[in-house]
Amino acid sequence: MNFTLFVTALLTGIAFVAVVTLLAKLIAPRSFNAQKEEAYECGVPTRGKSWMQFRVGYYLFAILFLMFDVETMFLFPWAVVMRTLGPAGLVSVLFFLFILVLGLAYAWRKGALKWQ
């Protein structure tokens, strides 16, 4: 029963996305222009190549931020039902926070948080 409902919802979602994408391709106005292919940065013409290599530190910093941001987002549902979970819920969220702090300490120790 649950598997059938899941497959039905999944297929309905896939079909909906496919139909909407196809419909948008068919009815969207098109105009081809060389200016549309140029890189645009806040109205200022770009200087040099638009595709340039950035240091991996920027990406690492962004990924670490997103990782901790998403993981701390999981604390909100816990805070809503905190009283109904009791001591077992408290222990589990403390374990979750311990793992977060452990990951942060590891990244800090490796120097991933240094902005150079």
Side-chain angles (χ1 to χ4, degrees), residues 11-108:
L11 291 177
T12 304
I14 290 171
F16 179 73
V17 169
V19 166
V20 168
T21 303
L22 181 66
L23 193 64
K25 283 244 184 232
L26 291 175
I27 65 173
R30 291 184 202 99
S31 68
F32 300 100
N33 189 340
Q35 190 175 10
K36 284 187 174 185
E37 299 297 322
E38 291 180 12
Y40 179 78
E41 184 67 35
C42 300
V44 178
T46 57
R47 288 185 228 144
K49 293 190 295 186
S50 296
W51 292 97
M52 62 179 170
Q53 191 172 13
F54 289 98
R55 289 188 30 216
V56 72
Y58 297 125
Y59 298 112
L60 185 60
F61 203 80
I63 288 173
L64 282 171
F65 173 76
L66 284 175
M67 182 179 71
F68 287 109
D69 193 40
V70 168
E71 286 178 347
T72 52
M73 182 184 65
F74 288 117
L75 293 175
F76 287 110
W78 172 81
V80 170
V81 295
M82 180 179 67
R83 291 190 181 171
T84 60
L85 293 176
L90 179 64
V91 169
S92 65
V93 84
L94 287 177
F95 181 71
F96 177 73
L97 288 173
F98 174 73
I99 290 177
L100 277 180
V101 170
L102 200 63
L104 179 64
Y106 176 78
W108 198 336

